[in-house]
Amino acid sequence: MLRHDLIDQFIKYLRNQKRYSEHTIRNYKIDLRQFSEFVVLREERSEGENFDAGIERIDAHVIRAYLGSLYGQFRRSTIARKLSAVRSFFLFLERKGLTQWNPAADIATPKLEKNMPTYLLVDEVFRLFERPDTEKPLALRDLAIMEVLYSCGFRVSELEALTLSSIDFDERLARVIGKGDKERIVPIGRQAIKAVKKYLEATQFLRRKNVDIPQSEPLFINFRGKRLSGRSIGRIIKKYAIESGLTADVSPHSMRHTFATHLLDGGADLRSVQELLGHESLSTTQKYTHVSLDRLMEVYDKAHPRSR
């Protein structure tokens, strides 16, 4: 089995040296515990109770069997991540001299599905923003969340981590810490600024009273005055999407896709969108051009006299 103390060492390495996001670290920890459980069950079936499922007994055949057990349960992208977790873990052990080789090194990553990003049309975004009851403080918060997501294209983890000092209301700029602890500055629209101001005014009672509120305080809070979690943000988006008659698949990431698609549709260049999204590689941003091109072809086919 994979000893839990070694998994914990690896997780500390990801957090302290590789500076992975907490979301990625959490997933890798779950993946490695799941793989460990698979190895134990496999060895128990073949060897009985008196077995020694040490790391040295894990080879490429074991890992392939593990991956095979995942098909039908998870999407290929999830299976690819789980393989990446195992591969990275054994690479870590190899570098520390705790194992002779990496049994996952030569196992091919599953071919990923080509999923087009889910995004909303402009009128669908407007319908979504009309749903919150702006007479209620937490509904004003919900509207501010959606406005900021659409205005800035943040990842949900980035939105969750925002503090009161993250937004410069005068300059209309938002400072965010993205993947790899990299900071970027993103313009924030007037409507989003307006929504955030209204939300802050309406929810002062939830924050500390009779003292100056520190700028390190979380921007988006729950009804207890604590930082709003990414999971709660996802539930908020889904709730209003369903109420608006949209698909239940709408998520914070859909808002990020919508942000990028609408910018490209409006004439923004790919490099600028890459910077705003905080993508390391331009190829990651290029998937949004396919969405825009698909819509462009649809318009062309309907409008051009010689398209048919």
Side-chain angles (χ1 to χ4, degrees):
M1 64 179 291
L2 305 184
R3 282 168 32 202
H4 285 186
D5 63 315
L6 293 179
I7 294 176
D8 291 341
Q9 285 183 42
F10 176 62
I11 294 301
K12 287 180 182 177
Y13 164 74
L14 295 182
R15 178 178 287 114
N16 300 330
Q17 296 187 40
K18 299 293 285 184
R19 312 291 288 181
Y20 280 12
S21 71
E22 285 301 319
H23 177 72
T24 301
I25 289 170
R26 184 169 59 250
N27 282 337
Y28 269 40
K29 189 172 184 177
I30 292 170
D31 294 341
L32 291 172
R33 292 285 175 90
Q34 183 184 40
F35 178 58
S36 177
E37 290 169 6
F38 172 84
V39 172
V40 169
L41 289 174
R42 177 184 169 90
E43 291 291 333
E44 283 179 346
R45 290 192 195 102
S46 60
E47 303 288 341
E49 292 185 4
N50 299 318
F51 72 94
D52 176 22
I55 289 175
E56 67 281 353
R57 294 190 60 171
I58 299 175
D59 57 17
H61 294 293
V62 173
I63 297 173
R64 287 195 179 95
Y66 168 63
L67 295 178
S69 72
L70 300 177
Y71 281 94
Q73 299 183 62
F74 301 98
R75 296 172 57 183
R76 291 190 178 202
S77 57
T78 303
I79 295 173
R81 188 200 69 217
K82 291 178 182 295
L83 172 59
S84 177
V86 173
R87 187 186 287 135
S88 298
F89 176 69
F90 276 101
L91 180 61
F92 168 77
L93 296 181
E94 188 179 11
R95 286 175 175 171
K96 289 182 71 70
L98 297 174
T99 185
Q100 296 286 325
W101 59 300
N102 185 345
D106 297 326
I107 297 178
T109 301
K111 190 174 180 180
L112 301 182
E113 309 95 333
K114 291 186 177 180
N115 294 322
M116 298 303 288
T118 301
Y119 70 98
L120 302 176
L121 302 175
V122 174
D123 65 325
E124 290 176 330
V125 173
F126 282 31
R127 273 166 52 200
L128 192 64
F129 291 175
E130 288 170 357
R131 288 305 305 172
D133 180 355
T134 53
E135 296 297 318
K136 299 177 180 177
L138 291 183
L140 283 170
R141 176 206 62 190
D142 299 346
L143 177 59
I145 285 171
M146 294 190 290
E147 286 278 12
V148 172
L149 282 173
Y150 179 55
S151 181
C152 302
F154 290 150
R155 300 176 179 93
V156 68
S157 58
E158 295 170 347
L159 186 86
E160 178 186 356
L162 291 177
T163 64
L164 292 175
S165 63
S166 297
I167 295 181
D168 184 328
F169 290 92
D170 295 328
E171 298 294 330
R172 289 198 302 111
L173 295 172
R175 186 178 72 256
V176 65
I177 306 299
K179 287 186 175 180
D181 264 359
K182 291 186 178 179
E183 182 182 277
R184 70 182 188 278
I185 306 295
V186 180
I188 180 168
R190 289 182 177 84
Q191 292 299 322
I193 285 285
K194 184 178 175 183
V196 172
K197 283 182 176 179
K198 284 186 174 180
Y199 148 65
L200 290 176
E201 290 170 4
T203 56
Q204 283 182 343
F205 70 97
L206 289 176
R207 301 180 187 271
R208 290 182 235 180
K209 297 177 181 178
N210 302 321
V211 294
D212 291 332
I213 300 172
Q215 291 298 294
S216 59
E217 281 273 310
L219 179 62
F220 293 113
I221 57 177
N222 58 28
F223 67 94
R224 296 187 184 93
K226 303 297 184 182
R227 186 181 299 276
L228 194 66
S229 70
R231 185 165 294 182
S232 294
I233 293 168
R235 284 196 290 263
I236 287 167
I237 302 297
K238 179 169 286 192
K239 168 194 168 187
Y240 290 114
I242 293 172
E243 289 180 2
S244 303
L246 305 174
T247 171
D249 293 335
V250 176
S251 66
H253 214 59
S254 303
M255 302 300 290
R256 180 169 161 86
H257 293 327
T258 302
F259 162 82
T261 302
H262 290 183
L263 278 179
L264 289 169
D265 284 348
D269 65 274
L270 201 59
R271 284 286 182 189
S272 297
V273 176
Q274 178 192 0
E275 288 291 326
L276 292 170
L277 290 171
H279 283 160
E280 283 279 339
S281 169
L282 188 63
S283 62
T284 309
T285 316
Q286 283 175 331
K287 63 185 175 183
Y288 298 107
T289 63
H290 299 306
V291 176
S292 297
L293 285 173
D294 285 346
R295 292 186 61 196
L296 188 62
M297 286 300 296
E298 184 181 343
V299 171
Y300 179 89
D301 287 341
K302 287 181 179 178
H304 198 285
R306 301 290 287 179
S307 68
R308 293 179 287 277

